[in-house]
Amino acid sequence: MELRTSDLPAIPGKRYFTIGEVSELCLVKSHVLRYWEQEFPQLSPVRRGNRRYYRHEDVQLVRQIRSLLYDQRFTIDGARTQLKRHALKRQTFDYRTEIAQAISELEAVVDILS
């Protein structure tokens, strides 16, 4: 039985994780994580000296990449494309939310002025 990304352990509420911890949390070997850093520019852990420290959002991104490659069977290029599409959708959603909020605020000003 193959382990799906949804079956992975919960991510602890820590600020930073070592590559070994991320490897265990995502069930991906350390050398694979280093390779993914080269292939996915979004994945860029903080470096201090020779050590890598992954943030919570980096661990989530690793899990997303893992899901795309292992569960959904995308190629590296396909996974890269999916991540870009997801980022564009999220950016579009953020803009729409900001525009809706601005319209609401402007309507409130019009009501006050009326």
Side-chain angles (χ1 to χ4, degrees), residues 1-106:
M1 183 173 124
E2 187 175 311
L3 183 68
R4 298 191 53 83
T5 300
S6 59
D7 298 330
L8 296 175
I11 302 170
K14 293 174 53 175
R15 188 174 178 113
Y16 293 105
F17 301 88
T18 65
I19 193 168
E21 291 171 324
V22 176
S23 176
E24 289 177 12
L25 287 169
C26 300
L27 297 178
V28 176
K29 302 263 186 204
S30 297
H31 69 273
V32 173
L33 291 170
R34 289 189 291 272
Y35 174 70
W36 286 356
E37 287 175 29
Q38 296 171 350
E39 295 297 322
F40 298 95
Q42 307 91 323
L43 183 58
S44 57
V46 175
R47 291 179 180 255
R48 293 197 182 113
N50 273 346
R51 305 214 36 148
R52 291 170 167 79
Y53 294 98
Y54 293 81
R55 296 169 298 259
H56 194 270
E57 55 269 16
D58 294 325
V59 179
Q60 290 175 322
L61 179 59
V62 168
R63 287 182 170 196
Q64 188 176 7
I65 292 169
R66 182 189 192 284
S67 175
L68 289 168
L69 296 175
Y70 296 173
D71 300 340
Q72 300 173 48
R73 303 287 187 199
F74 280 95
T75 62
I76 293 283
D77 284 337
R80 206 180 290 125
T81 300
Q82 287 297 314
L83 288 174
K84 286 178 186 174
R85 284 185 185 154
H86 180 72
L88 284 173
K89 285 181 185 177
R90 187 174 57 238
Q91 189 177 33
T92 300
F93 175 78
D94 291 345
Y95 288 145
R96 288 182 179 163
T97 302
E98 288 178 23
I99 290 170
Q101 183 178 359
I103 289 171
S104 176
E105 291 171 2
L106 289 171

